[in-house]
Amino acid sequence: MSGFWQAVLYVHLVAVAFFLGGQLVFGLAVVPVLRRDEDRTRMREIARRFGYGSLVALGVLLVTGWALASHYDLFDSSTLQWKLALIAVLIALTLVHLRFAKAHVLQGLILLLTLAIVWLGLELVVS
């Protein structure tokens, strides 16, 4: 792997770490602690900041993922096709979640989809 493509993969993985890691930290640490606060302002502010960061990470993931799939000629891979389908669902659920932030089941679905997408990404790298 050339230095440039290794750097593209590195940026892709950092964006994955932010997107997935942020979901885990927010869901497992921030929400349980701040849920007890009567004033939900802090939780909303953290969620908003994480949401903006997640949108940036998602954009980076789309650009770097597309570049990697193109460079390594993966668009015929059924694994990539499944990953792309799940990404489309993930984006749709994320947009719905922006509108209905209190629908916690959406966040759970987004987390499960993210985990499945990461798994498929690992399948692509290992194969």
Side-chain angles (χ1 to χ4, degrees), residues 76-122:
D76 289 334
S77 165
S78 63
T79 303
L80 181 64
Q81 297 301 320
W82 275 105
K83 184 177 176 183
L84 292 173
L86 292 180
I87 289 168
V89 174
L90 176 85
I91 291 170
L93 285 178
T94 300
L95 293 172
V96 171
H97 185 55
L98 289 173
R99 175 69 177 99
F100 302 102
K102 292 183 181 182
H104 301 296
V105 70
L106 290 175
Q107 187 57 42
L109 289 172
I110 289 168
L111 175 60
L112 291 175
L113 278 174
T114 302
L115 290 169
I117 290 165
V118 170
W119 182 270
L120 291 173
L122 290 173

Side-chain angles (χ1 to χ4, degrees), residues 39-51:
D39 182 9
R40 299 287 177 117
T41 304
R42 288 190 318 158
M43 188 161 27
R44 279 193 297 272
E45 288 173 4
I46 293 169
R48 189 174 298 115
R49 281 183 166 244
F50 174 65

Side-chain angles (χ1 to χ4, degrees), residues 1-2 5-6 67-75:
M1 177 179 288
S2 75
W5 289 106
Q6 188 170 356
L68 289 164
S70 210
H71 177 72
Y72 291 107
D73 198 28
L74 296 173
F75 284 107

